[in-house]
Amino acid sequence: MTEMTLVEAVNSALAYELDADDNVIVLGEDIGVNGGVFRATVGLQERFGEQRVLDTPLAETLIAGVAVGMAAQGLRPIVEIQFMGFIYSTIDQILNHASRLRNRSHGRLTCPLVLRAPFGGGIHAPEHHSESTEAIFAHIPGLRVVIPSSPARAYGLLLAAIRDPDPVVFLEPKRIYRLVKQDVVDNGEALPLDTCYILREGADVTLVSWGGSLHETQLAANALAVDGVDAEVIDVVTLKPLDVQTILDSVAKTGRCVVVHEAARTAGFGAEIAAQLAEHGLLNLYAPVRRVTGYDTVMPLYKLEGYYLPSVEQIIAAVREVLEFG
Amino acid sequence: MAGDQLNAEGVSRRVASFDIRYTQYLDMEGRPVQPLPALADDPEQIVSLYRAMVLHRTFDAKAIALQRTGSLGTYAPCLGQEAVFAAVGAVMREEDVLVPYYRECGAQLLRGVTMTELLLYWGGDERGMNFEGPRGDFPCCVPIASQIPHAAGVAMAMKYRGEPRVTVTVFGDGAMSKGEFYETANAAAVWNLPLVFVANNNQWAISVPRNEQTRCETLAQKAVAAGFAGEQVDGNDLIAVMTRLSAAIDKARDGGGPTLIEAVTYRLSDHTTADDASRYRSEAEVEENRQYDPVIRIRRYLVNNAYWNDDKEQRLEQECREAVEQAVQAYLDTPPRAPESMFDHLYEKLPVAYAGQRDELVHKGEKS
Ligand SMILES: Cc1ncc(C[n+]2csc(CCOP(=O)(O)OP(=O)(O)O)c2C)c(N)n1
Ligand SMILES: [Mg+2]
């Protein structure tokens, strides 16, 4: 057992799988000698060589497209995109190719690649470095979208993503890259995908979140507990395909739900969860589903980003609202 | 020093220079314009490629007819560019990988994709991309140039595994304005990949002529900026395309890195069956270009050398018609897919999240 931060857990998972499987290739910008701008790949090129840990030219469409070609030949490419703000030129490759190659060729060619990118706000980064646009990817058929929120889950989920036979977009909440240390067993054990994780059981209200916002969500749940409100906290983890059953079961018990995410509200992934609750769980609800989210504004530069991100107080206020409804 | 130049501001020095070669062996009459390369010593191969080109042309015409009568979707004909694709199909080895765009049925046929599979694809059925022949080849690619980086990834896998295999990717003149071409060319040189870029410069990208696509004198020279060799061939001259493509593929196989071959052709047909080229180019221009027809040129060469005659031609036409008819029949007789099979290859295993939608579709298909 080793104490690790989330970013160290990512590094350990990459190292484990590079060691275990010759088909694994890590590629991206500045990931070699430099170890990646967040140091997620530090030491890997030294240990596994330039053939396995590959610095690419500065061209995101190329990187994603190259990964599609490698994957079609049976390799397991793991791409690092430096920041989510630069992921958009890979969307053509992800949407038109990676996510549909299996379907187009009826399984003749497949695309077991992982596209990793740090995302989200809260680190006072420059313009274009702080957005949360996971919903764009959650809309793409044939894809998996996975977001860890703790070191242990980052380790196990990344291993699962690498071993998955289909393409996975793996988004790492950079705000919590080094927020906490946690004991992680570096034994190569993957965690299950396509399932929500219940982080805290409770009977009064269901809090649903993912990524960085889980930090505030859990703080809110702790504060509410002091006041005698027993919140259940669900980490969605795999946005696509969504394990809606876990959320429905929880809401069947609590009758109340607040969804928390950093991304802008309109057509954010919270809308999908609210819609599914309306379709399949309406009669279990005592109050409307509330969303605590970023605003439908352009993500502000860092002087105002603290106002943009969902706060513990906002979450508590939303919970009070659904508890007092009707 | 050579290349030094004196101008008003002082002396500047030439730090780079390039030249682009153009190769042609046969003139329009099929007569050699220079001594023929070694492959001309194997007339059997040339005859067999001529036969493949005629089959391709017969298939092409039939596909258009099927579209016109409602039995096929939009189809991209290949009239006038058959030599390029016959060469690609002939020169590549079985274990190599073709990463095509959408106009090279001829190359796909030579690599073992069947006409029935091609018709299935253009007839709106994914099963046509699950072809039995070249299992590692990519299917057609519609988003222009987006297949080019795949070829670099495939070539990278070959190189990583130390296999003596080569990747060939094909695209049009329009595709060479896109970032994917430039990005991949650049990386192919950096990584010294076993990758051959084949540009089918058919002078048009739908309605935009080649000279409005780029001010480069040749498309081949775009390779130079990426740091590797580019050259032009007469794309209507089967022997020229084969010779230069062969050299590029051998070089790639021997670790010599990428090459760009610009095959200069002309698109004699509409862009697709959904296009009407008379809106943007003159019949006179098309007529002018018919004299360079690659099928006629290689036939003249074969006839000039008594490798071919009218009798053989008539038999070939008959054979091609029959083969195409058979393929069309097999296509038309293919049982339709169950609608819910659209869920079958979405993921390796359909996630529970979508099982309900699949059921929905099963019921949607039921007659009430
Ligand atoms: C990215 C993209 N943009 C536009 C189109 C629509 N489109 C289809 S074919 C074509 C022209 C392609 O020309 P070229 O690359 O020269 O190939 P050709 O069809 O002439 O063989 C265009 C614009 C497309 N398929 N993909
Ligand atoms: Mg063209």
Side-chain angles (χ1 to χ4, degrees):
Chain A
M1 208 123 74
T2 323
E3 279 228 312
M4 292 183 200
T5 60
L6 197 157
V7 71
E8 286 163 352
V10 166
N11 184 277
S12 297
L14 292 173
Y16 189 93
E17 210 57 8
L18 275 162
D19 193 42
D21 182 355
D22 281 348
N23 287 321
V24 172
I25 308 269
V26 178
L27 67 160
E29 295 162 9
D30 306 293
I31 63 151
V33 182
N34 192 42
V37 289
F38 284 100
R39 308 286 174 259
T41 57
V42 87
L44 298 181
Q45 190 180 63
E46 212 177 341
R47 185 166 159 207
F48 298 100
E50 289 177 13
Q51 301 292 312
R52 309 285 308 283
V53 182
L54 191 78
D55 272 327
T56 65
L58 206 170
E60 284 77 11
T61 310
L62 167 87
I63 300 170
V66 161
V68 171
M70 287 175 151
Q73 282 287 306
L75 295 180
R76 301 227 161 212
I78 307 169
V79 164
E80 175 173 305
I81 298 295
Q82 224 158 51
F83 286 90
M84 194 156 192
F86 316 129
I87 211 170
Y88 307 116
S89 58
T90 71
I91 290 180
D92 182 32
Q93 287 297 328
I94 298 301
L95 200 157
N96 278 327
H97 294 295
S99 63
R100 52 193 285 165
L101 189 58
R102 175 191 292 281
N103 187 68
R104 298 181 69 218
S105 65
H106 273 196
R108 182 171 63 81
L109 299 175
T110 61
C111 205
L113 64 79
V114 178
L115 192 85
R116 300 177 38 242
F119 84 118
I123 65 160
H124 287 201
E127 201 176 2
H128 301 289
H129 284 65
S130 300
E131 287 73 11
S132 298
T133 46
E134 64 274 16
I136 293 175
F137 291 96
H139 191 62
I140 301 176
L143 205 59
R144 280 194 164 72
V145 180
V146 177
I147 301 179
S149 67
S150 76
R153 280 191 294 283
Y155 179 83
L157 293 167
L158 182 52
L159 285 173
I162 300 169
R163 294 170 193 167
D164 192 85
D166 290 299
V168 180
V169 171
F170 193 85
L171 300 173
E172 298 163 7
K174 60 181 178 292
R175 177 153 62 93
I176 58 171
Y177 257 160
R178 296 186 169 82
L179 189 69
V180 288
K181 284 199 168 210
Q182 192 179 33
D183 278 332
V184 178
V185 194
D186 186 7
N187 59 359
E189 254 176 52
L191 286 169
L193 301 177
D194 301 3
T195 176
C196 293
Y197 288 60
I198 298 175
L199 303 187
R200 184 184 199 286
E201 294 197 14
D204 298 333
V205 60
T206 302
L207 304 182
V208 181
S209 189
W210 55 90
S213 312
L214 264 166
H215 179 63
E216 286 73 27
T217 304
Q218 284 176 294
L219 291 178
N222 293 343
L224 286 161
V226 174
D227 291 346
V229 176
D230 191 12
E232 181 140 305
V233 176
I234 295 180
D235 183 354
V236 175
V237 173
T238 304
L239 273 65
K240 187 182 191 72
L242 175 66
D243 163 25
V244 76
Q245 199 55 50
T246 297
I247 299 171
L248 288 173
D249 290 348
S250 174
V251 173
K253 181 172 68 174
T254 63
R256 296 176 165 87
C257 183
V258 174
V259 185
V260 185
H261 63 67
E262 268 185 52
R265 191 167 308 160
T266 299
F269 197 70
E272 176 62 25
I273 293 171
Q276 296 244 25
L277 281 168
E279 275 188 304
H280 308 294
L282 191 65
L283 300 182
N284 291 324
L285 284 167
Y286 301 133
V289 176
R290 277 280 278 119
R291 286 179 288 167
V292 179
T293 69
Y295 300 105
D296 284 332
T297 62
V298 172
M299 176 84 198
L301 294 188
Y302 73 82
K303 285 269 167 47
L304 293 184
E305 74 176 336
Y307 290 95
Y308 180 91
L309 299 172
S311 67
V312 176
E313 293 70 31
Q314 267 179 301
I315 300 167
I316 292 173
V319 169
R320 295 267 174 236
E321 228 178 275
V322 297
L323 286 173
E324 287 156 19
F325 179 83
Chain B
M1 243 178 83
D4 280 7
Q5 198 175 48
L6 185 63
N7 48 39
E9 295 78 27
V11 176
S12 62
R13 193 158 43 90
R14 176 188 293 154
V15 291
S17 61
F18 66 92
D19 71 333
I20 299 295
R21 319 298 302 173
Y22 173 81
T23 307
Q24 175 187 4
Y25 289 104
L26 300 178
D27 69 10
M28 280 153 35
E29 300 304 324
R31 288 177 309 233
V33 295
Q34 60 165 317
L36 294 184
L39 67 89
D41 299 339
D42 182 4
E44 256 173 53
Q45 189 193 19
I46 298 177
V47 167
S48 97
L49 289 176
Y50 169 67
R51 300 172 69 92
M53 286 163 69
V54 173
L55 178 64
H56 181 192
R57 187 165 278 197
T58 313
F59 174 80
D60 222 42
K62 185 68 191 184
I64 295 171
L66 287 171
Q67 189 279 333
R68 299 287 185 240
T69 53
S71 301
L72 200 72
T74 302
Y75 174 75
C78 196
L79 193 70
Q81 300 135 84
E82 292 88 346
V84 179
F85 302 127
V88 168
V91 172
M92 289 178 68
R93 290 189 193 159
E94 192 181 330
E95 65 270 26
D96 295 341
V97 171
L98 176 65
V99 183
Y101 71 129
Y102 47 72
R103 211 181 279 288
E104 52 274 73
C105 290
Q108 292 182 298
L109 289 173
L110 279 166
R111 289 186 56 70
V113 180
T114 67
M115 288 188 277
T116 303
E117 287 163 341
L118 291 175
L119 290 169
L120 275 171
Y121 173 69
W122 292 103
D125 189 328
E126 283 86 351
R127 288 177 294 185
M129 290 186 274
N130 184 14
F131 32 78
E132 289 301 329
R135 298 288 290 171
D137 281 9
F138 270 65
C140 285
C141 180
V142 170
I144 299 295
S146 64
Q147 82 282 15
I148 305 176
H150 305 162
V154 172
M156 184 84 97
M158 293 169 171
K159 186 177 171 178
Y160 172 68
R161 292 178 172 141
E163 300 163 340
R165 297 163 68 206
V166 173
T167 309
V168 176
T169 184
V170 189
F171 43 84
D173 42 299
M176 296 181 78
S177 298
K178 292 236 354 166
E180 289 95 321
F181 166 74
Y182 286 100
E183 291 187 14
T184 309
N186 181 61
V190 170
W191 291 327
N192 194 42
L193 295 178
L195 173 52
V196 177
F197 297 81
V198 177
N200 171 30
N201 174 9
N202 61 12
Q203 312 305 325
W204 290 91
I206 309 186
S207 67
V208 178
R210 180 255 179 254
N211 287 340
E212 283 176 40
Q213 206 65 244
T214 173
R215 293 290 179 238
C216 276
E217 300 156 272
T218 69
L219 301 179
Q221 74 204 54
K222 294 192 178 200
V224 175
F228 64 98
E231 59 178 295
Q232 270 191 344
V233 296
D234 181 342
N236 294 314
D237 176 350
L238 176 69
I239 293 180
V241 190
M242 279 180 74
T243 306
R244 298 314 304 156
L245 187 62
S246 239
I249 287 182
D250 288 349
K251 176 179 150 196
R253 207 180 303 281
D254 293 343
T259 305
L260 167 62
I261 308 264
E262 175 193 354
V264 182
T265 59
Y266 188 85
R267 197 194 80 210
L268 288 171
S269 64
D270 288 338
H271 168 67
T272 63
T273 50
D275 176 50
D276 172 9
S278 70
R279 292 174 59 83
Y280 52 79
R281 67 181 188 187
S282 69
E283 189 44 44
E285 179 189 306
V286 180
E287 214 34 65
E288 153 81 18
N289 277 284
R290 283 191 208 285
Q291 60 184 320
Y292 305 112
D293 188 317
V295 176
I296 296 174
R297 189 179 309 188
I298 196 68
R299 179 166 60 227
R300 284 179 178 155
Y301 166 77
L302 292 173
V303 170
N304 292 348
N305 290 280
Y307 300 133
W308 198 253
N309 56 38
D310 282 352
D311 203 34
K312 289 182 178 171
E313 182 69 19
Q314 270 168 21
R315 259 182 294 146
L316 174 62
E317 279 172 14
Q318 178 67 19
E319 274 168 40
C320 289
R321 265 199 306 274
E322 283 168 13
V324 170
E325 280 312 327
Q326 240 173 38
V328 169
Q329 207 48 54
Y331 158 64
L332 295 173
D333 291 346
T334 305
R337 286 170 62 193
E340 64 274 19
S341 71
M342 72 171 76
F343 285 91
D344 286 356
H345 300 283
L346 196 55
Y347 298 86
E348 185 184 62
K349 189 167 168 290
L350 187 68
V352 240
Y354 309 123
Q357 294 185 28
R358 188 178 180 282
D359 287 347
E360 238 178 73
L361 177 55
V362 171
H363 291 290
K364 184 177 176 177
E366 281 173 3
K367 300 222 162 41
S368 52

